[in-house]
């Protein structure tokens, strides 16, 4: 999608409140895209996300954040049951149906250029595309209290196991690349598992979902620089992109506490949880295989007033760690 956008003079709201037990991507909300897999976006802005009233606790770092989730006291421009972002709720890498199965029919004839060319198409990219809040700022919320398809599912299906990530630009990014795309004028970003002024959760794309069992890579790893080239398409990057708050400052909050199965409550002014993602400011490295000559800037979080994480919080990053090749995006398959 190129040179398109969404604009409303009075501002607009987006919500995806329902989740389905047979669709792990349901409950994804974004000012431009709710859930995007293998998307290619260029020069597409979201203007004037609606300003809504959020009743924050008097102490922004208090453990009682109930007013954020009280629908009578607080409403949000973007609300998602699992993923919520000012621009995109969940940005994902493509699937095996679009790459792996197509390439596998080439058998032994496939070369590294075939793999890289296909990945360049299926890996999500967003460039030169901004989201801007209306006067007073926009607020984003990802919350477990969304409506389920049935009461039975509500009891049996744990929404928090696969969602509740909120970000000023994106709720969650799995693989994919962003260039010169900013989130302007947010007031509150509230999530459960992760929350970030720019992105809640940043992680590698899933190799298994794109390449199946990665059998198409057999014989290619001996080619010089092949592994590094392929791996780079699965490791997410954010380049020359910032997030800014309203003039009096914005607040980021990740509400939930961890369980024995899942780490939660990770908040950061820029990114809540960064598992192996790259964030590059003033970057001029090649972009889409070509020399990059577009705008450059530092990657910053501007006018952050408060960051609260039930478990971990940081002014820029809540929790930053190297990607576990065995669990994060199945990167181990590349070896």
């Amino acid at each position: 999608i190129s040179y398109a956008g969404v604009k409303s003079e009075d501002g607009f709201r987006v919500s995806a409140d329902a989740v389905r037990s047979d669709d792990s991507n349901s409950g994804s909300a974004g000012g431009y895209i709710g859930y995007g897999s293998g998307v290619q976006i260029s020069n597409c802005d979201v203007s004037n996300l609606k300003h809504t009233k959020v009743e924050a606790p008097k102490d922004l770092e208090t453990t009682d954040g109930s007013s954020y989730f009280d629908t009578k006291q607080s409403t949000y421009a973007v609300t998602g049951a699992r993923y919520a972002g000012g621009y995109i709720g969940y940005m994902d890498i493509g699937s095996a149906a679009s790459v792996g199965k197509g390439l596998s029919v080439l058998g032994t004839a496939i070369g590294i250029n075939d793999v890289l060319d296909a990945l360049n198409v299926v890996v999500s990219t967003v460039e030169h595309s901004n989201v801007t809040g209306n006067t007073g700022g926009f607020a984003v919320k990802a919350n477990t209290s969304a409506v389920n398809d049935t009461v039975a599912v509500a009891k049996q299906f744990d929404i928090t196991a696969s969602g509740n990530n909120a970000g000023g630009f994106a709720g969650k990014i799995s693989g994919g690349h962003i260039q010169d795309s900013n989130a302007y004028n947010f007031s509150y970003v509230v999530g459960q598992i992760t929350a970030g002024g720019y992105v809640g959760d940043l992680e590698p794309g899933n190799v298994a979902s794109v390449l199946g069992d990665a059998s198409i890579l057999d014989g290619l790893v001996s080619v010089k620089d092949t592994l590094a080239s392929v791996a780079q398409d699965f490791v997410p990057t954010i380049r020359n992109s910032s997030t800014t708050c309203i003039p009096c400052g914005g607040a980021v909050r990740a509400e939930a506490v961890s369980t024995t199965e899942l780490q939660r409550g990770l908040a950061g002014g820029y990114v809540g949880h960064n598992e192996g993602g790259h964030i590059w400011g003033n970057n001029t490295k090649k972009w889409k295989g070509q020399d990059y000559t577009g705008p450059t800037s530092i990657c910053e979080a501007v006018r952050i007033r408060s960051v609260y994480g039930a478990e971990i919080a940081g002014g820029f990053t809540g929790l930053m760690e190297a990607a576990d090749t065995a669990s994060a995006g199945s990167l181990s398959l590349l070896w």
Side-chain angles (χ1 to χ4, degrees):
I1 304 175
S2 298
Y3 299 100
V6 180
K7 184 175 183 179
S8 169
E9 295 299 331
D10 297 327
F12 65 96
R13 297 172 59 191
V14 180
S15 63
D17 293 331
V19 296
R20 306 297 178 187
S21 57
D22 60 351
D23 183 0
S24 61
N25 301 315
S26 60
S28 301
Y32 198 74
I33 297 175
Y35 171 75
S37 173
V39 296
Q40 308 288 316
I41 308 294
S42 179
N43 293 283
C44 298
D45 288 344
V46 176
S47 302
N48 296 12
L49 270 181
K50 190 175 184 66
H51 169 64
T52 58
K53 180 183 178 181
V54 176
E55 188 67 39
K58 292 182 179 180
D59 179 358
L60 291 176
E61 286 79 46
T62 182
T63 56
D64 178 16
S66 58
S67 59
Y68 284 120
F69 304 101
D70 187 324
T71 55
K72 294 182 179 180
Q73 298 185 67
S74 301
T75 56
Y76 295 80
V78 180
T79 304
R82 286 196 179 98
Y83 310 105
Y87 194 90
I88 183 169
Y90 183 11
M91 187 171 108
D92 198 4
I93 201 168
S95 67
S98 55
V99 178
K101 293 179 181 178
L103 290 179
S104 62
V105 300
L106 299 176
T108 57
I110 190 170
I112 181 59
N113 289 333
D114 298 313
V115 176
L116 294 179
D117 288 346
L119 288 177
N120 285 337
V121 173
V122 77
V123 173
S124 293
T125 61
V126 178
E127 61 179 0
H128 317 308
S129 301
N130 305 316
V131 55
T132 304
N134 216 336
T135 301
F138 72 92
V140 177
K141 179 183 72 172
N143 185 27
T144 58
S145 63
V147 178
N148 292 272
D149 46 5
T150 65
V151 175
V153 169
K155 293 180 179 179
Q156 298 175 10
F157 188 65
D158 183 8
I159 310 170
T160 64
S162 60
N164 286 180
N165 302 284
F169 191 88
K172 182 172 182 175
I173 297 172
S174 296
H177 307 290
I178 296 177
Q179 176 78 265
D180 180 39
S181 298
N182 307 284
Y184 294 129
N185 208 37
F186 81 79
S187 55
Y188 295 91
V189 174
V190 180
Q192 296 279 6
I193 295 179
T194 67
Y198 192 90
V199 56
D201 192 18
L202 184 64
E203 67 173 12
N206 193 312
V207 175
S209 71
V210 178
L211 302 178
D213 60 4
S215 60
I216 66 171
L217 293 175
D218 288 351
L220 294 179
V221 293
S222 61
V223 180
K224 183 179 180 181
D225 298 329
T226 293
L227 181 59
S229 297
V230 174
Q232 285 175 6
D233 274 315
F234 291 93
V235 175
T237 62
I238 301 173
R239 315 180 194 196
N240 304 309
S241 303
S242 295
T243 184
T244 70
C245 304
I246 54 177
C248 62
V252 177
R253 184 180 182 94
E255 181 78 11
V257 296
S258 294
T259 66
T260 55
E261 293 82 20
L262 184 66
Q263 189 169 29
R264 304 190 294 188
L266 311 176
Y270 193 95
V271 53
H273 182 203
N274 182 0
E275 189 173 9
H278 293 188
I279 301 171
W280 293 333
N282 292 328
N283 184 261
T284 57
K285 289 188 176 181
K286 285 186 178 294
W287 173 251
K288 296 183 177 181
Q290 305 294 322
D291 291 337
Y292 179 70
T293 59
T296 62
S297 64
I298 60 175
C299 294
E300 59 182 343
V302 182
R303 292 187 297 276
I304 296 292
R305 179 163 55 117
S306 170
V307 177
Y308 170 83
E311 301 276 333
I312 297 176
F316 191 87
T317 303
L319 175 62
M320 181 168 64
E321 58 185 339
D324 183 338
T325 58
S327 62
S330 306
L331 288 178
S332 58
L333 290 177
L334 296 180
W335 278 265

